[in-house]
Amino acid sequence: MTVVAAETRIDSAAAASALIDVVAQAESGAITRSDALMSVTAAHLEAILHTQFDGGGEVIATGVPASPGAAVGRVYFTSDDALDADDRGEDVILVRSETTPADVMGMQVSQGLVTTRGGLASHAALVARGWGTPAIVGAEALVIGDSWFTVGDITVNRGDIISMDGATGEIVLGELLTSTGEHPEAFDTLLDWADEVRAGKLGVRANADTAEDAAVARSLGAEGIGLCRTEHMFLAPERLSVVREMILADTPEREAAALDRLGAAQQSDFETVLAAMDGAPVTVRLLDPPLHEFLPSLTELRIAAATTGLDAEQNAQLEAAETWAEHNPMIGTRGVRLGVIKPGLYAMQVRALLDAAAVRRADGGNPIVEIMIPLTVTREELALARSWVQTELDKSAVPDGSITIGTMIETPRAALCASELALEADFFSFGTNDLTQLTFGFSRDDVESRMMPAYLAQGLLAGNPFESIDQAGVGRLVEVGSWHGREARPGLKLGVCGEHGGDPESIDFFYRCGIDYVSCSPYRVPIARLAAAQAVIRNS
Amino acid sequence: MTVVAAETRIDSAAAASALIDVVAQAESGAITRSDALMSVTAAHLEAILHTQFDGGGEVIATGVPASPGAAVGRVYFTSDDALDADDRGEDVILVRSETTPADVMGMQVSQGLVTTRGGLASHAALVARGWGTPAIVGAEALVIGDSWFTVGDITVNRGDIISMDGATGEIVLGELLTSTGEHPEAFDTLLDWADEVRAGKLGVRANADTAEDAAVARSLGAEGIGLCRTEHMFLAPERLSVVREMILADTPEREAAALDRLGAAQQSDFETVLAAMDGAPVTVRLLDPPLHEFLPSLTELRIAAATTGLDAEQNAQLEAAETWAEHNPMIGTRGVRLGVIKPGLYAMQVRALLDAAAVRRADGGNPIVEIMIPLTVTREELALARSWVQTELDKSAVPDGSITIGTMIETPRAALCASELALEADFFSFGTNDLTQLTFGFSRDDVESRMMPAYLAQGLLAGNPFESIDQAGVGRLVEVGSWHGREARPGLKLGVCGEHGGDPESIDFFYRCGIDYVSCSPYRVPIARLAAAQAVIRNS
């Protein structure tokens, strides 16, 4: 089963020629530019933007489409095998039950990712979308063995070639030709018109964690970064060991030393991101995930302890993994809660960011930094976090007033108590992924591949609320939060940085709520620009 | 640190004499009955109701007070050791890192329970409150070894005597004398006055899963059961094996056979509960927890697989545990979602309940059954669940209209979309525990023992929102849900069955929201009766 509607599968050549035709008609005056903008759909742009199968081939399995684009490559099952294959010059499709930070290097060299477990919020999906790597997750029909996977009575061995389409979730045996995803001039013309219509009404930013992502986003028309996730900067293998040192530190001195090393690495990352987005706002979210995500798997450590035994370092890791293990990590010690428990962490991040901004300014750049506090639930919590930032600001060379401080609105309570939070915030950014998880009580990793198909098939949900915002429930919280936030603080800047920021129907809703900008993954930016213009036209 | 305010520790003799004095004054006409009711606090009743330490003794550690009452006994670390000690006639305090269904038999024979992990929603806390067994959870200072625990430089060995107070979370070395918890006649007089004041305005029911609980609740003045959790009926060892058969069944026939056996067991449980509450309403919640809670621990199975190896049954259990494992079980495949995926389960439960009601009626009883669907998020979902119940009703001998069907309101979406849900519901019951978890994004098991102390100490939370309802956030959802529910369906019955149902401040709030009844653990019923009367007086 696929959660993408059939209508999103449009042949890319047909889409391009339809778009060229519409733009020509508007240029000749046969139709208005508004008519032209309203006649093109997200599916057209999607078809033009991403590589896709040219057709044919037997679909052997379908998973959750997690990151669009088509890829062809040889199947490997471990990060090490992927790296070896890449060394041999092979194209790789990495197939795993699920991925963890330990797989990042193998993921980096892969043309495509397939997992058999997890949903759109899984590690594999998030990393893949960040990199623009095609990915399919939760392909439960695949049974992975030692050096093969089976699906029904088909066996695919290590090294066999498969093709996958991350926009549809389809996996095909063998090598399918893919179209290239180049776009015609009319594409840019149409989007220029869209920008004119939405100027000053609804901005479009991108979620980008690296300078490369930022550059792609900018080339696709993003007006800034609405969400720069700092945790991905912690996941590169050489950083991960320092993060672990920080977690395992048994003295304040060792913790401080590890934080200093992380700070230096983060600063250079921030410099490159700020350079790539020079003159445009960059919203940096302080560390969000629970700490055990940076440790080896507790279960694997326990098994190793019971079989091969552990060395001293592994023993320390086991103890830390047990300390930081949680029953429900999604609603555990994450976000600003981590900041409260490990105050040095956020201070380090803020310092690194301010130092990066100072370096950029010294180099003649114009960095515009917005610092965002995740998972806030009370005003007092936000005031405390704000005070940490202010402390670093007071010590820094950054001119006063050049940095703004805001918060994610991603818990129902934050939306309901927006008038309180607004008193401590220069901006709100609605994190509609987590807000949807909490409003429904849907752990996306658990329900999306297991329960959602039955719910959609039986009409128990009108649609997947992670794709298009649930206006009656989650959307009501966005409305209430926007309204009360602006009431308490007129002119409060409002953004959305969940994946809904790239969904046309949701964008229309956000515009009606008075949101200032949406932020989506770089490859959705053109779609968001068009949808934002359509929302302005539709509601004017 | 303790999350119970210091003022709740009142000497029981002093509390009893204060209460006797106040009642005497009202009886002599020196003060009004209202004055008498308003001058007694929950802390007075609590001190009178529960056994407590008579004083003295060195407190060696403090955990989260999870189930009130004091207990003295010898320390044992496994369910088997507890059972053996019980056979020898010893009093037992069972100390575990956390408990699972496999520990239930040992828990049953223990005078008190202590865990080092988990919060008020942990297995240990829930089971203990259900049974009225004193319990302390999340006592993190205890380090458990093979046959001892240490706390600081103190070592307590297997068989040593400790005392514990589940109302304060305190653990004391050796045997402390405890007062008995008998209550004076004035106690009953005062509560009779309370009942007169609140009659027809705010009812008090109990959360009770067994006939014993129901009898205790009734003796303490409960007017019905607001929450009968059917999962506890699955946890007795002889049932658990049948539940596992049901989960592991590889054919529909085997599943049906296991369900039939479970149904027979449930029917006899329901008969006893309905008998104990004859003539009073009993709200039965269909199965709520995720299925893996009924399976052995996945980690332990994996370790066994890697070391001693698994037999065929254990292999099947491992496969099932892997299938049903979830990243965030609290927001995973639970409640009605399970009903959608395993429709036979809810049908079996409804059949057992209807058959039990028929038996009771044939015996001259007057069973009043309310069937409650957990974790609903959409109207369509509730309509489907309602249709399952109706199908069984149509087949049964129970007179039409004698059974009502309603839903928990425990997700933010259910509260926000109450006008939709009300169209399919005869009653709403606000499950404010889960509603608090979701509104804040607080996994109670994770945050309550780890993060909450720092948050309370630093004033980031005004109080523990699991103790007294967060009126600005969670309370707003109760208000909105009540309002919209009643607007869509005038006269809709509204209850609260979270633990807030036993908290005086929350009870006052619920009364102002127009709630018809609160439901709390049996031992909180007298406190809720008093608080309900106080709410009526205060708001009249």
Side-chain angles (χ1 to χ4, degrees), chain A residues 486-540:
Chain A
R486 283 253 173 84
E487 201 178 34
R489 190 170 185 134
L492 179 73
K493 187 158 62 175
L494 301 175
V496 167
C497 65
E499 279 166 74
H500 297 114
D503 170 66
E505 204 177 308
S506 309
I507 290 170
D508 191 87
F509 177 79
F510 295 140
Y511 178 65
R512 286 182 275 124
C513 288
I515 296 291
D516 294 308
Y517 69 87
V518 295
S519 186
C520 56
S521 68
Y523 293 95
R524 298 290 296 178
V525 165
I527 289 161
R529 288 160 68 197
L530 173 68
Q534 291 174 338
V536 171
I537 295 168
R538 203 175 288 120
N539 296 289
S540 65

Side-chain angles (χ1 to χ4, degrees), chain B residues 331-420:
Chain B
I331 45 178
T333 308
R334 279 178 48 201
V336 65
R337 301 166 193 179
L338 211 51
V340 172
I341 290 188
K342 286 213 167 256
L345 197 57
Y346 273 19
M348 172 278 284
Q349 292 201 293
V350 172
R351 253 190 325 269
L353 187 52
L354 298 182
D355 288 348
V359 168
R360 287 290 310 141
R361 199 167 289 107
D363 285 353
N366 176 24
I368 304 175
V369 176
E370 304 174 332
I371 296 179
M372 183 154 73
I373 311 298
L375 213 65
T376 317
V377 291
T378 73
R379 177 185 173 175
E380 291 72 19
E381 200 181 24
L382 186 55
L384 176 64
R386 197 179 175 100
S387 76
W388 299 328
V389 179
Q390 193 59 50
T391 301
E392 299 304 324
L393 265 175
D394 293 345
K395 290 190 277 186
S396 83
V398 174
D400 216 28
S402 70
I403 305 266
T404 55
I405 306 166
T407 183
M408 299 277 285
I409 302 288
E410 54 188 333
T411 63
R413 191 177 198 278
L416 291 164
C417 299
S419 58
E420 288 286 308

Side-chain angles (χ1 to χ4, degrees), chain B residues 10 49 51 72 117 129 145 163 179 182 202 228 279 308 320 336 366 416 435 470:
Chain B
I10 296 184
L49 274 170
T51 53
V72 176
R117 291 195 56 188
R129 276 197 299 281
S163 303
S179 58
E182 306 245 312
L202 186 54
C228 177
T308 58
V336 65
N366 176 24
L416 291 164
L435 196 58
D470 159 50

Side-chain angles (χ1 to χ4, degrees), chain A residues 254-277:
Chain A
R254 283 194 188 145
E255 183 178 291
L259 283 172
D260 276 349
R261 287 170 62 199
L262 280 176
Q266 286 230 290
Q267 181 183 329
S268 76
D269 287 338
F270 286 139
E271 284 174 28
T272 61
V273 171
L274 290 174
M277 268 295 163

Side-chain angles (χ1 to χ4, degrees), chain A residues 323 331 337 381 441 450 455, chain B residues 323 337 381 441 443 450 455:
Chain A
T323 300
I331 46 179
R337 301 167 193 178
E381 201 180 25
R450 171 182 292 157
Y455 265 60
Chain B
T323 301
R337 301 166 193 179
E381 200 181 24
S443 165
R450 171 181 292 155
Y455 265 61

Side-chain angles (χ1 to χ4, degrees), chain A residues 46-183:
Chain A
E46 184 109 24
I48 295 169
L49 273 170
H50 295 291
T51 52
Q52 60 176 198
F53 295 155
D54 272 344
E58 185 203 356
V59 175
I60 58 168
T62 308
V64 178
S67 179
V72 176
R74 293 181 187 278
V75 168
Y76 291 99
F77 297 98
T78 67
S79 180
D80 285 344
D81 280 359
L83 289 165
D84 291 346
D86 180 61
D87 284 344
R88 294 192 298 271
E90 294 177 10
D91 284 344
V92 172
I93 308 285
L94 183 64
V95 179
R96 305 271 300 156
S97 59
E98 50 193 340
T99 65
T100 71
D103 299 316
V104 166
M105 287 189 74
M107 294 165 76
Q108 232 157 2
V109 301
S110 298
Q111 272 59 48
L113 304 172
V114 175
T115 69
T116 56
R117 292 196 55 187
L120 289 177
S122 64
H123 179 259
L126 290 174
V127 171
R129 275 197 299 280
W131 293 342
T133 304
I136 297 169
V137 298
E140 298 192 330
L142 271 57
V143 178
I144 301 180
D146 289 337
S147 61
W148 40 261
F149 72 78
T150 60
V151 49
D153 50 8
I154 299 170
T155 299
V156 176
N157 290 304
R158 177 166 54 195
D160 286 355
I161 290 179
I162 63 170
S163 303
M164 54 168 286
D165 187 338
T168 63
E170 291 174 344
I171 299 166
V172 176
L173 270 190
E175 180 169 357
L176 274 198
L177 286 176
T178 55
S179 58
T180 58
E182 307 241 316
H183 56 263

Side-chain angles (χ1 to χ4, degrees), chain A residues 98 117-118 299 302-303 306-307 322-333 336-337 340-341 375 377-378 380-381 384 411-414 416-417 437-443 445-447 450-451 454-455 458-461 470 472-474 476-477, chain B residues 98 117-118 299 302-303 306-307 322-333 336-337 340-341 375 377-378 380-381 384 411-414 416-417 437-443 445-447 450-451 454-455 458-461 470 472-474 476-477:
Chain A
E98 50 193 340
R117 292 196 55 187
T299 302
R302 281 189 183 151
I303 290 172
T307 52
E322 275 172 349
T323 300
W324 290 102
E326 295 190 298
H327 295 88
N328 301 287
M330 194 262 143
I331 46 179
T333 308
V336 65
R337 301 167 193 178
V340 171
I341 290 188
L375 214 65
V377 290
T378 72
E380 292 72 19
E381 201 180 25
L384 177 63
T411 64
R413 193 178 197 277
L416 292 164
C417 299
Q437 295 200 74
L438 291 171
T439 304
F440 279 87
F442 279 175
S443 165
D445 269 346
D446 297 309
V447 303
R450 171 182 292 157
M451 191 202 87
Y455 265 60
Q458 296 183 50
L460 305 180
L461 284 169
D470 159 51
V474 182
R476 181 83 192 111
L477 290 174
Chain B
E98 50 193 341
R117 291 195 56 188
T299 302
R302 280 189 183 151
I303 289 173
T307 51
E322 274 171 351
T323 301
W324 290 101
E326 295 190 298
H327 295 88
N328 301 287
M330 194 263 142
I331 45 178
T333 308
V336 65
R337 301 166 193 179
V340 172
I341 290 188
L375 213 65
V377 291
T378 73
E380 291 72 19
E381 200 181 24
L384 176 64
T411 63
R413 191 177 198 278
L416 291 164
C417 299
Q437 295 200 74
L438 292 172
T439 304
F440 279 87
F442 279 175
S443 165
D445 269 346
D446 296 309
V447 304
R450 171 181 292 155
M451 190 202 88
Y455 265 61
Q458 297 183 47
L460 305 181
L461 284 169
D470 159 50
V474 182
R476 182 83 193 113
L477 290 174

